Amino acid sequence: MAVYFIADLHLAPDTPDLLTLFTDFTGMLKSGDSLYILGDLFGYYVGTDLGNLAQTKVKKQVEMLRKQNIPVYFIHGNRDFLLTPEDAAYFGFELLPERTVITVSGKSCLLMHGDELCTAEKKYNLFRAVSRIKFLQKLFMMFTSKKRRISIAENMREQSRLRFQGKNGVKEKINLREALKHLRESQAEILIHGHTHNAEAAIAPGQSIYDTGDWNSYRYSYIVADDSGKMPELIIRSSRLYRRGG
């Protein structure tokens, strides 16, 4: 039995190749395995939408996994924090707290999306604090039309892309001191997170940190662990075969 960790797929109707890759990746899982999605599965999320191809494909695939005794766990990211427990049930996920400790390879492992570890982004951290208030989320969903919510989300998605370009493609880094603090407070030996899109593993006794990396048109990555007692392994693979016309 194996445990898989992925994050930052950013699936959307306009990413058909990544949707195919997600289908093929989850199709390789075996009965008894489990899958943890550490946020930003979708490019953005503002509610269930039967007309959204990414959502319908994810729901279908998760239903198939559950029939094979493969549970799927989900932690909010910065793009899909509006996904409610009811929405999670709709997709077939088990929604976990934003900081969750599990046992992996016989060691305690802290799981989180990772955006809260990027402390240098002051404006974002303020937005994060406000946007996670459940009462405000309910007001937003109640008094904003679906069309308006999608417009806001697509605009934020584009602004995020432009900011990344403005930094010449330099990816954000976590605050290592903050990460080690979370490890200590959780009494965990391993931290697995996403968000920064830096697929890497820093392994040290009692404080190993893994970044799942993101999925894009060039490569995808995931972390896998089994019950052998070995440390989790970071896998990076090419996704060029999934590019249309490639």
Side-chain angles (χ1 to χ4, degrees), residues 16 22 72 81 90 99 159-160 169 175 190 203 229 240 243:
F22 175 73
V72 181
F81 60 86
Y90 167 79
R99 287 187 290 276
Q159 291 301 313
S160 176
N175 182 325
I190 300 172
I203 300 175
R240 289 179 181 272
R243 297 178 66 185

Side-chain angles (χ1 to χ4, degrees), residues 144-193:
T144 310
S145 68
K146 173 184 171 182
K147 182 178 180 180
R148 178 58 178 159
R149 291 198 302 269
I150 291 175
S151 176
I152 292 171
E154 289 182 341
N155 180 63
M156 294 180 69
R157 183 187 183 195
E158 177 63 13
Q159 291 301 313
S160 176
R161 184 186 68 81
L162 292 175
R163 280 195 302 272
F164 182 68
Q165 287 183 345
K167 295 179 180 178
N168 296 318
V170 176
K171 297 177 180 178
E172 196 173 7
K173 290 285 188 178
I174 66 168
N175 182 325
L176 182 57
R177 182 177 297 179
E178 189 73 11
L180 294 176
K181 173 187 170 187
H182 281 290
L183 273 173
R184 288 193 302 272
E185 291 177 348
S186 303
Q187 297 183 322
E189 300 174 72
I190 300 172
L191 167 62
I192 299 180
H193 70 88

